[in-house]
Amino acid sequence: MASGGTMTLFAQFLVAGVATGCFLILATIGFSLTRRVEGFLNIAHAQLIGVSAFTTWAVNVLLGWHILAAAAIGIVFTALVGLAIGRLVYEPIRHHGPAVMLISSVGVTYVIGGIVDAAVGTGIRTFDIPLATSYEFFGVRITDYQAMVMALAALSGVSMALFLNKTKIGLAVRAMAANPELAASRGIDVRRTSMATWLLASGLAGLAGVMLGVVATLSTDIAFRQILQVLAVAILAGLGSLYSVILSGLIVGIAMDVSVLWIPAGYRPLIAFALVIVVLLFRPEGLAGRKSS
Amino acid sequence: MIWAQLLTTVVMFGSVYAVLTLALNLQYARGGMINFGMVAYFAAGAYAYAIVTQAPPEGLDQYLFGFAAPWWAGFLAAGLASLAFAVLTGWPTLRLRGEYLALTTFAFAEVFHSVLLNERRIGNGSVGLSNVERPDVAWTGLDDTIVYAVAALTMMLATAYVFNRILASPYGRVLDAIREDELAAQTVGKKITRIRFEVFLISAIPVGFAGALYAMITTLVSPTLYTAEVTFTVWIALVLGGERTIVGAVLGTMALIFIQESLRVYPFETVRAAQIAASAEEILTGAIFIVMLRWQPFEKLMKKGRPS
């Protein structure tokens, strides 16, 4: 039954696409949060994914620590690096406007990329973890690590939603995103809120970096390849809310992986950008439909 | 001797890149458009030149077209290709503002790069096209490198001259008016989208020519030579030179290429040492970029020199 085989294959790529999408959600939530609160596109966000992946790798493989301890160190370290960059580099140039901040983040990308290159060197790295176990449901295979990425993305999504809606600092973050001047005049501690944003956004990049190391092999150019996809998801989401990021992450992930059925795999990243171009041409405000501020 | 060589290299590559910086200066510093896909127009020129001048495919070649035309035909085709790509990308995107324009141009460049990398029928895919035709310059009696350095310098000066004429004209003042206050310019009857589109096209043509010259110099056209790194290098050069002046754009590019090339002159004993030097170059470049944008020293100097 040929059509049954095609359906299974399609379902297989769909599952892979959802897993890719979940990773992209983890990688983009922080980027999108920075865009909303700090008001600019932080190209260097993806470099933090690399920082986390290689810190975790160093602690896990070179020092021989357990992966969970290594991941915790990687994530915390990345959050602190992100905070430090936010305070030292971006805060002083805020008055130059978002264009200068965007261009500066390219400089930050170079600096972090160079440091990672110098420290890690060339070659392929992998974490010291057991090989993935694969489970089969109705002929469709899924590995335990893919399932973990999906679970973590879901968990991060839910906790972000709770954080932004239920906690005081979360509400402050949303207020800052909506109208910084008004937020400041209503007594919101702008500095503290901004610091919380940097920690949170960078920590999420850290989590994404660990996940990347779990499901894939690491090389130092990995961060740059991620930024392309993160940008695609973020634009598709209209640089907007958490929910639109989740939706666009899944769309981009599924579109990229399912496209492999018809289009050579080399074009996989191109699918993400073709989507972006189409969306920007017809809906410059993104899928979410809200006019971006 | 090594210094003479370094100087020639810097003038040669510096001038080619300076053409790109000048185009970016026109688009961003004067026109307010953030183009993060400069490399695509450069690559379009280089590929057009290579395809028009190369011999028709034979043996293991996977490309479809080769017209074996003389170099000047390829050179003209390069300008046209870059212009065509600018029409294709500029027409739909120029109504987008600021960061959206940056992202779309970036996206277009990545898509173009991906097509060049994967589509073997254009330029052998990732292998690229080697032994690209270059005009015979033996009649000058000089070293090839020097002739090409002079050619690059001439191209840069010509670009600077034309752009300067444009900016000094009433057209240039309209451009400044649009950048400073779009609404006001619109109110006095200036067609903003149209003028931005024109500037986008005008600035793309010399970038295509520079691509052709770059292909002649390297005699190789492959996707690895045309990555987003080219775009970022040009941006860093523009920031380094201080925005809004033609002299600044040229000096910034020369300084950046000089820093990069002089770090490359030093012979390294081991692969690891070379790798660390490459990383150091990256870190230094990024740091200069951040510092320049934060303190904008040239901007301040210019303001001091200018009677207010």
Side-chain angles (χ1 to χ4, degrees):
Chain A
M1 213 169 77
S3 68
T6 314
M7 276 316 290
T8 314
L9 198 61
F10 182 80
Q12 187 63 60
F13 281 119
L14 194 67
V15 169
V18 172
T20 307
C22 285
F23 164 74
L24 288 176
I25 292 169
L26 281 176
T28 313
I29 291 178
F31 177 84
S32 186
L33 190 69
T34 316
R35 166 61 180 69
R36 289 174 71 200
V37 177
E38 301 291 322
F40 76 106
L41 298 172
N42 184 12
I43 303 287
H45 185 76
Q47 291 292 335
L48 293 176
I49 295 175
V51 168
S52 160
F54 285 109
T55 311
T56 307
W57 169 77
V59 176
N60 176 229
V61 175
L62 299 183
L63 299 181
W65 291 26
H66 189 267
I67 182 66
L68 286 179
I73 292 176
I75 292 170
V76 170
F77 178 70
T78 308
L80 294 175
V81 168
L83 175 65
I85 295 172
R87 302 303 302 171
L88 288 175
V89 179
Y90 298 126
E91 187 59 35
I93 56 167
R94 198 193 274 259
H95 63 277
H96 287 316
V100 171
M101 291 174 91
L102 165 65
I103 301 167
S104 287
S105 76
V106 174
V108 175
T109 302
Y110 267 69
V111 173
I112 300 179
I115 293 172
V116 171
D117 272 349
V120 179
T122 48
I124 301 288
R125 323 277 181 199
T126 46
F127 289 169
D128 181 17
I129 47 174
L131 285 175
T133 322
S134 135
Y135 302 94
E136 198 172 314
F137 300 100
F138 307 106
V140 177
R141 277 189 305 278
I142 178 169
T143 69
D144 45 355
Y145 291 137
Q146 277 180 329
M148 190 164 77
V149 174
M150 293 180 197
L152 274 170
L155 192 67
S156 310
V158 171
S159 20
M160 273 295 284
L162 287 175
F163 169 78
L164 288 175
N165 289 313
K166 301 286 177 199
T167 65
K168 208 172 159 211
I169 188 118
L171 287 171
V173 167
R174 286 176 61 202
M176 277 264 294
N179 190 337
E181 285 88 19
L182 185 64
S185 72
R186 295 287 290 173
I188 282 173
D189 187 341
V190 173
R191 194 162 170 271
R192 214 171 126 239
T193 313
S194 162
M195 284 174 73
T197 308
W198 283 119
L199 274 178
L200 194 62
S202 314
L204 280 165
L207 182 61
V210 171
M211 285 299 108
L212 192 62
V214 168
V215 296
T217 52
L218 302 172
S219 60
T220 47
D221 62 342
I222 206 152
F224 190 73
R225 274 187 274 133
Q226 298 311 318
I227 188 62
L228 302 177
Q229 295 169 19
V230 166
L231 281 174
V233 174
I235 305 168
L236 199 61
L239 306 170
S241 73
L242 177 65
Y243 308 110
S244 48
V245 169
I246 293 173
L247 180 66
S248 349
L250 288 175
I251 292 176
V252 171
I254 292 171
M256 284 201 305
D257 282 351
V258 172
S259 75
V260 175
L261 275 176
W262 301 284
I263 303 170
Y267 284 106
R268 200 168 156 269
L270 193 141
I271 297 297
F273 269 95
L275 261 175
V276 167
I277 291 173
V278 170
V279 167
L280 277 181
L281 297 186
F282 293 102
R283 284 186 78 99
E285 68 276 10
L287 277 188
R290 190 171 56 91
K291 289 273 176 198
S292 171
S293 52
Chain B
M1 196 54 221
I2 194 161
W3 285 105
Q5 237 169 34
L6 179 66
L7 185 72
T8 323
T9 316
V10 170
V11 169
M12 186 166 68
F13 288 120
S15 302
V16 171
Y17 271 93
V19 173
L20 273 63
T21 318
L22 286 168
L24 197 63
N25 179 56
L26 189 61
Q27 290 176 356
Y28 174 65
R30 304 302 289 259
M33 295 172 268
I34 304 182
N35 181 352
F36 262 175
M38 191 52 92
V39 64
Y41 309 90
F42 192 48
Y47 268 87
Y49 175 79
I51 288 169
V52 169
T53 56
Q54 76 194 342
E58 57 177 47
L60 291 174
D61 292 328
Q62 291 177 296
Y63 61 84
L64 279 187
F65 301 104
F67 300 102
W71 71 269
W72 52 265
F75 190 75
L76 287 177
L80 280 178
S82 179
L83 178 67
F85 195 65
V87 172
L88 189 74
T89 54
W91 183 254
T93 54
L94 284 179
R95 62 202 167 86
L96 304 171
R97 286 303 322 222
E99 58 189 5
Y100 279 100
L101 181 61
L103 294 177
T104 330
T105 45
F106 190 62
F108 268 121
E110 285 308 316
V111 170
F112 189 56
H113 183 258
S114 181
V115 169
L116 291 179
L117 192 65
N118 289 294
E119 184 51 73
R120 298 201 190 94
R121 281 166 290 189
I122 300 175
N124 282 343
S126 58
V127 180
L129 303 164
S130 48
N131 293 323
V132 173
E133 170 83 16
R134 62 195 320 202
D136 186 17
V137 291
W139 55 270
T140 55
L142 290 165
D143 188 50
D144 275 14
T145 324
I146 294 176
V147 177
Y148 281 103
V150 171
L153 191 65
T154 313
M155 178 187 283
M156 181 198 77
L157 290 175
T159 309
Y161 176 76
V162 173
F163 283 2
N164 188 36
R165 288 299 295 268
I166 293 172
L167 287 173
S169 70
Y171 192 78
R173 287 196 292 279
V174 172
L175 210 56
D176 284 339
I178 291 175
R179 190 193 62 244
E180 296 300 334
D181 192 340
E182 207 169 277
L183 197 62
Q186 206 160 22
T187 316
V188 295
K190 303 299 176 195
K191 293 189 177 57
I192 290 171
T193 315
R194 190 191 162 79
I195 290 173
R196 291 171 85 209
F197 187 51
E198 284 168 7
V199 169
F200 200 70
L201 298 190
I202 292 168
S203 56
I205 299 169
V207 175
F209 288 148
L213 188 59
Y214 192 69
M216 291 179 205
I217 292 170
T218 55
T219 68
L220 172 74
V221 173
S222 94
T224 46
L225 290 176
Y226 303 96
T227 60
E229 201 157 321
V230 174
T231 303
F232 292 149
T233 302
V234 178
W235 268 101
I236 292 168
L238 182 68
V239 170
L240 193 61
E243 290 163 14
R244 295 193 193 167
T245 66
I246 282 175
V247 177
V250 171
L251 289 181
T253 316
M254 293 293 176
L256 184 65
I257 302 291
F258 176 75
I259 294 169
Q260 292 182 343
E261 290 295 330
S262 38
L263 285 172
R264 277 171 205 164
V265 164
Y266 185 81
F268 292 102
E269 301 291 322
T270 63
V271 175
R272 184 73 184 136
Q275 199 183 30
I276 289 183
S279 312
E281 182 191 319
E282 225 180 313
I283 297 170
L284 187 70
T285 311
I288 293 173
F289 201 33
I290 295 167
V291 167
M292 285 289 159
L293 279 164
R294 174 154 174 192
W295 284 284
Q296 307 195 335
F298 294 107
E299 206 86 329
K300 277 178 197 140
L301 271 179
M302 270 173 52
K303 272 176 195 146
K304 259 184 213 157
R306 196 188 296 152
S308 50

